């Protein structure tokens, strides 16, 4: 557990640095403290609620390959969803293209998968699962509520972006993003809960890498 916690903390700090969030000693200290909190509390909560599959304890190579495959499949689905959103209104297409160009590969493939999986899956999902477990011993209910709730938060975190001036188009865009990112969070939450944090990170990285590799041919 200590090794896993140290590795998760290092991953979190790597993600912050790759994303340009660490610019001085103060930001490093804040990031380090925040990462330590997320990791310690997350692993403590997960140890009381999450049950990893038997394969997660031994069959690491096969699960890594499966996580890559799931990530590629989800990346293709994400690309298709963005194409549908872009096709619905010219203004939305422009906003999406601007966002694709603004997000660098390092942020998308390294920073986001590391920091978001630790924040949303390890910390938030585990804590939600622990809270729900105070009210029920049904592991399926605990998992289901933690999965859906954390996926909704994951979606909400992706709404910090420009929206169209037209209220109707903005409402449609907001709803489409909420649905898309909530659905995207479900497989990564499942991977974290059943296989472990590294596989959720691998999947997340491949989702974004697949989109980056192919978006130029669609947009």
């Amino acid at each position: 557990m200590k090794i896993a916690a140290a590795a998760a903390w290092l991953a979190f700090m790597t993600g912050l640095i790759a994303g340009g969030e660490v610019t001085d000693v103060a930001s490093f200290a804040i990031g380090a403290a925040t990462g330590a909190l997320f990791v310690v509390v997350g692993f403590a909560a997960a140890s009381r609620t999450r049950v990893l599959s038997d394969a997660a304890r031994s069959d690491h190579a096969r699960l890594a390959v499966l996580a890559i495959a799931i990530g590629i499949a989800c990346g293709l689905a994400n690309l298709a969803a963005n194409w549908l959103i872009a096709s619905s209104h010219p203004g939305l297409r422009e906003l999406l293209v601007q966002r694709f160009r603004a997000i660098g590969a390092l942020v998308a493939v390294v920073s986001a998968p590391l920091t978001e999986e630790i924040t949303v899956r390890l910390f938030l999902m585990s804590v939600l699962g622990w809270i729900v477990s105070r009210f029920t011993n049904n592991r399926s209910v605990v998992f289901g509520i933690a999965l859906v709730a954390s996926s909704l938060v994951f979606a909400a975190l992706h709404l910090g972006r420009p929206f169209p001036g037209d209220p109707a188009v903005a409402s449609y865009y907001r709803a489409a993003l909420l649905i898309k990112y909530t659905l995207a969070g479900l497989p990564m939450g499942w991977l974290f809960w059943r296989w472990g944090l590294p596989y959720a990170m691998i999947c997340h990285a491949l989702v974004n890498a697949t989109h980056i590799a192919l978006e130029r041919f669609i947009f």
Side-chain angles (χ1 to χ4, degrees):
M1 180 65 74
K2 291 181 179 179
I3 294 176
W9 181 83
L10 286 173
F12 186 82
M13 293 305 298
T14 299
L16 290 182
I17 293 170
E21 301 295 330
V22 175
T23 57
D24 52 27
V25 175
S27 60
F28 179 89
I30 293 171
T34 302
L37 174 67
F38 286 172
V39 168
V40 172
V41 174
F43 273 116
S47 68
R48 290 165 171 76
T49 55
R50 185 182 62 166
V51 178
L52 295 174
S53 66
D54 293 336
R57 306 177 191 282
S58 58
D59 204 356
H60 304 299
R62 184 176 69 88
L63 295 188
V65 171
L66 289 174
I68 290 172
I70 294 170
I72 292 173
C74 290
L76 292 173
N78 186 33
L79 190 66
N82 282 334
W83 177 81
L84 288 172
I85 294 172
S87 300
S88 66
H89 192 279
L92 297 184
R93 181 184 181 87
E94 182 179 352
L95 287 175
L96 284 170
V97 171
Q98 289 175 356
R99 181 171 176 81
F100 299 157
R101 291 173 179 171
I103 299 177
L106 191 62
V107 171
V109 181
V110 178
S111 179
L114 296 180
T115 57
E116 290 178 7
E117 291 310 308
I118 290 171
T119 302
V120 178
R121 250 62 72 173
L122 176 60
F123 175 69
L124 181 62
M125 187 176 178
S126 297
V127 170
L128 288 171
W130 179 81
I131 293 173
V132 175
S133 72
R134 301 301 90 195
F135 300 93
T136 177
N137 292 322
N138 189 317
R139 291 188 179 275
S140 296
V141 172
V142 171
F143 168 63
I145 293 177
L147 176 64
V148 173
S150 62
S151 295
L152 285 169
V153 173
F154 176 70
L157 292 174
H158 287 81
L159 296 182
R161 62 177 72 192
F163 280 85
D166 186 323
V169 178
S171 295
Y172 165 77
Y173 188 36
R174 186 175 293 105
L177 291 175
L178 278 172
I179 293 171
K180 185 190 77 159
Y181 282 109
T182 298
L183 293 176
L186 296 176
M188 288 181 277
W190 187 93
L191 287 172
F192 162 70
W193 201 264
R194 297 297 295 145
W195 294 357
L197 181 63
Y199 305 103
M201 290 176 169
I202 291 171
C203 178
H204 195 153
L206 265 295
V207 170
N208 293 349
T210 300
H211 196 291
I212 289 174
L214 299 177
E215 64 191 30
R216 72 191 71 176
F217 302 109
I218 306 299
F219 298 95

